[in-house]
Amino acid sequence: MSHHNTVIAQMLKLIPRHEFNTLATQHHAGRSFRKASRWSQFVTMMIAQLSGRNSLRDIVENMTAQMHKLYHLGTGKLSRTTLSRINEDKPYKLYEALFGRLLSRCQSAAPKHNFRFKNKLYSLDATTIDLCLSAFPWAEFRSTKGAVKLHVGLNHEGYLPEFMTVTDGKVHDITAARTMDLPRGSIVVIDKGYNDYAWYKQLIDKNIFFVTRLKNNAKYRVIERYDVLKSKGITSDQIIEFTGAQTAKKCPTRLRRIGYTDGETGKHYVFLTNNMALAAKTIADLYKARWQVELFFKWIKQNLKIKSFVGTSKNAVLTQIWISMCAYLLLAFLKFQSKLAQSMQQILRLLQLNLFEKRDLLRST
């Protein structure tokens, strides 16, 4: 009978220890550790994410129950005080950097998107994570409410959060979007919350295609009309240019306006894009696919610990968020490698029951 280490030990082998230690050295601040380490913090917080632990006491008691199996993970048990202190004080940037390393590993194994074109496809959106203002005074959002905001550019190849940043709740979506270095030739799908004609012009200049919805009060004139396939729900396909004084100045480029009626809901949409080559129905399908980023936010909020936090400082909150995103990438990598039909939620549920069992990881999933 072949020997297998615990499932969690096999998962952590996806992160080379020397690579982690190099990042930990680069992102160290304050006094050196005596017994604790950043690896111990990471392993403890990762297990807390995968096993659904809700508090520092819950996390530590869970690790204590598995004390005899921690040696193979290269870690020991951290006390509540020590874990809290590390989360509060040691820079979260370590886990942001680790997220980048894991993302590269996932990208190499991710399946292609479901469209026939070869361009990279991204959906941009943001979600607000509510915080209690009295407990998190640094996260002031409104007079009685605190929040941080998670901005994501979701790559449809494997549905990976390729571009991600965490900001104060007051930061507007478009402000974060401008910082995303999207690759040339890619297609980005956005909703009306990202309406910024100057940014559209910047995307055009960088040879990046966008698909969004046209504002109801936009002023324009039609330059050219194309024949449409009404059987596919397309009501119009036009080349337009803006006539509003400020809009025309910010975006003097001709764009494509597409009208579409959804056959299932009967709702009518008007899309705006700078892509002149794709079929009108494909443009409509691209906007419909933007729903994947909403599903991503729903999934991480339901299955990972990013709504309740075990620390109150900004560093502790960002540490927990970035480790949760590392957990998401580990789960995505397992799904890509196993090539099985289970959803990521099913994989997570199986892992929760088998984290400290000695069995083949890929067969477990």
Side-chain angles (χ1 to χ4, degrees):
M1 181 182 294
S2 59
H3 170 76
H4 297 291
N5 210 332
T6 59
V7 167
I8 183 60
Q10 293 174 69
M11 286 187 71
L12 293 175
K13 282 186 178 179
L14 300 175
I15 305 170
R17 185 68 179 274
H18 69 277
E19 192 174 292
F20 182 93
N21 289 339
T22 299
L23 292 175
T25 301
Q26 294 172 359
H27 299 280
H28 180 76
R31 293 183 300 174
S32 298
F33 298 102
R34 283 186 174 181
K35 296 181 179 180
S37 69
R38 296 306 296 273
W39 178 252
S40 296
Q41 177 200 23
F42 173 68
V43 172
T44 302
M45 293 297 289
M46 178 60 69
I47 291 173
Q49 286 288 340
L50 296 175
S51 59
R53 302 298 161 182
N54 294 310
S55 66
L56 283 174
R57 181 184 297 276
D58 193 17
I59 292 169
V60 170
E61 288 180 353
N62 177 56
M63 294 296 284
T64 301
Q66 306 295 340
M67 192 69 180
H68 59 293
K69 299 178 181 178
L70 297 183
Y71 173 80
H72 296 288
L73 304 179
T75 183
K77 188 193 75 169
L78 296 177
S79 67
R80 278 189 296 157
T81 302
T82 301
L83 180 59
S84 176
R85 180 173 58 84
I86 297 175
N87 287 345
E88 296 283 327
D89 299 335
K90 301 305 177 184
Y92 73 88
K93 288 287 185 180
L94 164 60
Y95 301 113
E96 186 177 355
L98 181 63
F99 172 87
R101 297 291 180 91
L102 287 173
L103 178 64
S104 298
R105 200 155 292 140
C106 287
Q107 287 169 327
S108 64
K112 302 299 182 183
H113 58 63
N114 296 324
F115 292 89
R116 295 177 64 181
F117 55 78
K118 296 183 179 179
N119 308 63
K120 294 285 187 181
L121 175 60
Y122 300 93
S123 290
L124 266 59
D125 209 345
T127 188
T128 300
I129 300 173
D130 295 331
L131 300 171
C132 175
L133 188 58
S134 61
F136 304 86
W138 52 268
E140 184 178 356
F141 179 44
R142 293 177 184 150
S143 58
T144 59
K145 184 179 179 181
V148 293
K149 189 177 281 188
L150 190 62
H151 304 266
V152 167
L154 190 74
N155 189 337
H156 283 244
E157 295 182 357
Y159 302 120
L160 298 174
E162 188 166 314
F163 298 96
M164 192 182 112
T165 184
V166 185
T167 68
D168 294 339
K170 294 180 179 179
V171 175
H172 197 279
D173 298 359
I174 187 61
T175 303
R178 292 194 192 103
T179 67
M180 296 182 183
D181 188 18
L182 299 164
R184 293 177 64 86
S186 60
I187 300 174
V188 57
V189 188
I190 47 181
D191 63 15
K192 288 183 180 180
Y194 290 87
N195 187 272
D196 185 306
Y197 294 108
W199 184 53
Y200 294 164
K201 182 61 168 59
Q202 292 173 10
L203 293 177
I204 294 168
D205 292 342
K206 294 178 181 178
N207 193 31
I208 296 170
F209 301 105
F210 63 86
V211 175
T212 187
R213 291 175 64 187
L214 183 65
K215 291 183 69 175
N216 296 332
N217 62 353
K219 296 180 180 180
Y220 62 91
R221 64 167 166 263
V222 178
I223 305 300
E224 188 175 355
R225 288 182 171 86
Y226 299 126
D227 294 333
V228 298
L229 294 174
K230 293 186 178 181
S231 61
K232 293 188 176 182
I234 307 301
T235 59
S236 60
D237 190 355
Q238 307 163 340
I239 302 299
I240 66 169
E241 63 181 14
F242 294 114
T243 58
Q246 291 299 319
T247 307
K249 182 179 179 180
K250 293 177 180 178
C251 187
T253 306
R254 293 181 177 182
L255 298 173
R256 188 178 177 192
R257 176 186 179 277
I258 296 170
Y260 171 73
T261 299
D262 189 306
E264 296 180 2
T265 64
K267 189 173 181 179
H268 188 259
Y269 300 88
V270 179
F271 303 119
L272 182 70
T273 182
N274 61 328
N275 191 302
M276 308 297 178
L278 294 177
K281 182 59 166 61
T282 301
I283 298 297
D285 290 340
L286 284 174
Y287 193 83
K288 187 175 183 179
R290 192 196 69 83
W291 187 245
Q292 291 296 332
V293 72
E294 303 283 358
L295 295 179
F296 168 78
F297 288 138
K298 181 179 179 181
W299 194 95
I300 61 174
K301 286 185 174 182
Q302 287 182 344
N303 296 283
L304 299 175
K305 296 300 176 183
I306 64 167
K307 293 176 68 178
S308 59
F309 295 91
V310 298
T312 57
S313 73
K314 183 175 183 179
N315 190 77
V317 169
L318 293 179
T319 293
Q320 188 169 329
I321 290 175
W322 282 107
I323 290 179
S324 72
M325 291 298 99
C326 289
Y328 178 87
L329 292 182
L330 285 177
L331 291 168
F333 189 82
L334 288 178
K335 181 173 174 59
F336 301 156
Q337 290 292 92
S338 64
K339 297 180 180 179
L340 297 177
Q342 283 103 327
S343 67
M344 282 182 58
Q345 187 174 48
Q346 290 172 321
I347 292 174
L348 178 59
R349 295 292 177 262
L350 288 169
L351 287 174
Q352 288 176 340
L353 297 173
N354 293 280
L355 273 182
F356 288 95
E357 297 298 321
K358 294 184 177 181
R359 55 190 303 178
D360 187 346
L361 172 60
L362 294 182
R363 293 200 175 193
S364 297
T365 56

